[in-house]
């Protein structure tokens, strides 16, 4: 028999089950809520090992969100999954430029991906940004280039694109940089993972 429980109870029980199944797995206290929310979103315990954090990445991400930074995503799906009410309450916005007409036109003219151009457009914003990349490795490669050119100083890069072509390599590029990052090593990831990481930080601010 299926028992009737509220959404809040479902989430609470889910996190209790996740904690039980993780057992004695060692996760840094600062990163624990991020890892558990990603597992909650995906039901994939590999993320307990696959998520790689630069020193104090979560702390820096939370500080940036508190200060009203914007979040840039590479997909509308990731944007839809982020709790925009909290972001806006903190003074920020969530942007996804991937479907903008000017981005599409420039990408076609230059024969590059829209993800590449959308990151360039985001780099022109006046305020600090967290970049939540869940789909396009070319977005990560664009960010790497912009940083090396001195055109971008990200508050945090969430590098979790999913797939097979240039995915692993693009993540390794970010892991080699001296920037705050949260990266899912290997092929796994996705827009839902990018959104879950953002929400894990936002919920820590509002709890």
């Amino acid at each position: 028999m299926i028992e009737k429980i509220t959404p809040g109870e479902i989430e609470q029980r889910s996190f209790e089950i996740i904690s039980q199944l993780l057992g004695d797995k060692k996760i840094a206290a600062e990163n624990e809520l991020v890892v558990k929310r990603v597992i909650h979103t995906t039901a994939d315990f590999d993320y307990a090992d696959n998520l790689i954090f630069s020193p104090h990445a979560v702390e820096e991400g939370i500080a940036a969100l508190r200060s009203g930074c914007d979040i840039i995503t590479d997909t509308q799906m990731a944007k839809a999954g982020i709790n925009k009410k909290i972001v806006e309450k903190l003074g920020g916005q969530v942007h996804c430029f991937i479907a903008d007409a000017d981005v599409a036109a420039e990408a076609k003219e230059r024969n590059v991906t829209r993800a590449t151009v959308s990151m360039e457009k985001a780099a022109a914003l006046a305020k600090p940004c967290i970049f939540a990349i869940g789909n396009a490795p070319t977005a990560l490669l664009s960010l790497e280039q912009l940083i090396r050119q001195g055109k971008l100083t990200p508050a945090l890069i969430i590098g979790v694109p999913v797939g097979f072509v240039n995915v692993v390599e693009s993540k390794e590029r970010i892991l080699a940089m001296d920037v705050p990052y949260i990266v899912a090593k290997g092929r796994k990831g996705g827009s839902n993972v990018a959104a879950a990481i953002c929400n894990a930080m936002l919920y820590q601010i509002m709890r």
Side-chain angles (χ1 to χ4, degrees):
M1 182 177 181
I2 297 176
E3 57 184 314
K4 293 182 180 179
I5 52 179
T6 67
E9 290 171 334
I10 291 171
E11 180 168 301
Q12 180 180 348
R13 191 173 300 181
S14 295
F15 275 87
E16 289 171 355
I17 292 169
I18 290 167
S19 296
Q20 291 169 6
L21 293 175
L22 283 170
D24 296 329
K25 180 72 179 178
K26 301 297 183 185
I27 301 172
E30 178 189 348
N31 305 333
E32 184 177 359
L33 292 178
V34 171
V35 172
K36 287 183 176 179
R37 185 154 292 279
V38 171
I39 293 172
H40 177 259
T41 298
T42 61
D44 188 342
F45 283 81
D46 284 352
Y47 285 105
D49 296 308
N50 293 352
L51 285 177
I52 308 299
F53 299 78
S54 64
H56 311 298
V58 174
E59 181 181 323
E60 293 184 45
I62 288 174
L65 291 167
R66 285 187 187 277
S67 70
C69 81
D70 288 353
I71 299 175
I72 310 298
T73 70
D74 63 330
T75 64
Q76 293 293 344
M77 183 178 178
K79 179 182 177 181
I82 295 169
N83 191 315
K84 287 171 283 297
K85 287 184 178 180
I86 299 179
V87 176
E88 290 166 6
K89 182 178 287 189
L90 296 168
Q93 291 182 285
V94 183
H95 304 281
C96 181
F97 300 129
I98 199 80
D100 289 7
D102 58 333
V103 169
E106 184 174 343
K108 184 176 181 180
E109 180 181 344
R110 291 167 51 191
N111 194 30
V112 296
T113 68
R114 287 184 294 165
T116 297
V117 179
S118 68
M119 294 301 110
E120 294 170 355
K121 183 172 181 176
L125 294 176
K127 63 194 305 188
C129 295
I130 289 174
F131 290 83
I133 310 304
N135 183 70
T138 53
L140 289 185
L141 295 173
S142 180
L143 292 176
E144 181 205 21
Q145 185 175 31
L146 289 164
I147 293 166
R148 294 196 186 283
Q149 291 172 345
K151 297 178 179 179
L152 176 66
T153 303
L156 174 68
I157 294 178
I158 298 169
V160 293
V162 60
F164 298 93
V165 179
N166 291 330
V167 168
V168 173
E169 294 82 357
S170 67
K171 292 175 180 179
E172 293 294 334
R173 297 276 188 93
I174 299 302
L175 289 171
M177 301 197 78
D178 185 21
V179 297
Y181 60 72
I182 302 173
V183 171
K185 289 198 74 173
R187 296 190 178 103
K188 290 186 178 182
S191 295
N192 58 336
V193 175
I197 292 170
C198 292
N199 287 336
M201 294 186 292
L202 291 167
Y203 296 154
Q204 289 183 64
I205 294 172
M206 301 307 293
R207 66 181 177 180

